[in-house]
Each structure stands twice: as C-alpha cells, then as structure tokens.
Amino acid sequence: MASYPDCPYAQFNFLIDLGLKEVPGPHGGFQEVSGLRKIKGLNKATDITLKRGVIASAALQDWLDEIRRDREGAKRTLTISQQNEEHQTVQTWKLSRSRIIKHTSGPVNAKGTDVAIEELVLAYERLELE
C-alpha cells in the first residue's frame, strides 16, 4: 500500500530526463508540471506543461535544434520524477514519443529579485506510471 506524506511535497522537486543515452539525466528541475493525464484506449497526443527556474541545459538546446531542423530523432521518451524533501523518488512518469511544441522564456529583469521562469510544452503519445 502506498504511503502519503503529512504535508504536500515542496517546489522544484520534479526532475526530467530527456532520454539521451550519451548524456544521462536528469537534465532539469521543474517547479510545476501540469497536464499529465492518461486517456485509456486512446493513442492520441496529449500536451504537458513544465515550468521551472532557468537552468542552462545543452541537452535541451540540442533537442530544440533537432526539432527546428525536423530531424527523425526529434521524438523521445522522457522520464519525469517527483522527489520528496529527502530527494527520494516518490512518483515517476514515462512519456513516449514526446516532442517540444512550445518553449518560452519569461521576462528577464536585472532590477528585480524574482526567479526567471521558463515554460516548456510537450506533446506526447503515451504515458506510463512507474
């Protein structure tokens, strides 16, 4: 039987592995994941939105370049892991045949103290819970 925490999990505890064999992940940490849904019996692409603090990631930039060039390997199997405060994985989602459909960087203002947020929207064809 699954155990549940007494309080909600903290922010920035979602890690993403972009499915690269040559550069093992995780490749980024996210604060918010929305749109994860499993539709039984349908092989239909679904969208997921990830928002995070800006972190330099060459793996993400390389993937964006592959998509821009419309290369064959642009669809990947991604793994998103949720961690608790002790950095132990508590839930894992595997997204098959994923592709970036939108990448947005928030306003960057050197005068403020806010964390810059980057948004990544992915389309995926299959979701598996591990």
Side-chain angles (χ1 to χ4, degrees):
M1 179 188 279
S3 63
Y4 298 98
D6 294 332
C7 59
Y9 294 116
Q11 298 178 5
F12 290 103
N13 276 340
F14 293 97
L15 300 177
I16 188 165
D17 184 324
L18 297 176
L20 300 172
K21 294 176 184 167
E22 60 277 3
V23 184
H27 299 104
F30 290 83
Q31 176 182 4
E32 181 181 332
V33 177
S34 60
L36 275 172
R37 58 187 171 265
K38 192 172 185 176
I39 303 170
K40 188 175 182 177
L42 294 178
N43 249 348
K44 180 182 171 191
T46 307
D47 296 350
I48 178 175
T49 302
L50 303 133
K51 293 182 181 178
R52 66 177 172 94
V54 176
I55 300 170
S57 173
L60 177 60
Q61 294 306 317
D62 291 345
W63 191 19
L64 284 166
D65 287 341
E66 284 181 25
I67 292 169
R68 284 185 202 110
R69 293 184 181 117
D70 201 26
R71 294 203 175 157
E72 276 296 312
K75 288 189 179 182
R76 298 190 179 166
T77 298
L78 307 180
T79 304
I80 298 173
S81 302
Q82 181 180 15
Q83 295 189 326
N84 62 19
E85 288 74 19
E86 287 81 36
H87 301 289
Q88 300 166 330
T89 299
V90 293
Q91 180 68 55
T92 302
W93 298 269
K94 188 176 276 191
L95 287 68
S96 300
R97 295 179 293 284
S98 301
R99 182 179 177 93
I100 299 171
I101 57 173
K102 181 180 175 185
H103 178 251
T104 309
S105 293
V108 180
N109 184 348
K111 296 178 187 176
T113 58
D114 294 343
V115 174
I117 297 294
E118 193 168 55
E119 181 178 281
L120 188 64
V121 180
L122 305 166
Y124 63 94
E125 295 180 19
R126 182 180 169 93
L127 172 65
E128 295 176 36
L129 302 173
E130 295 183 347

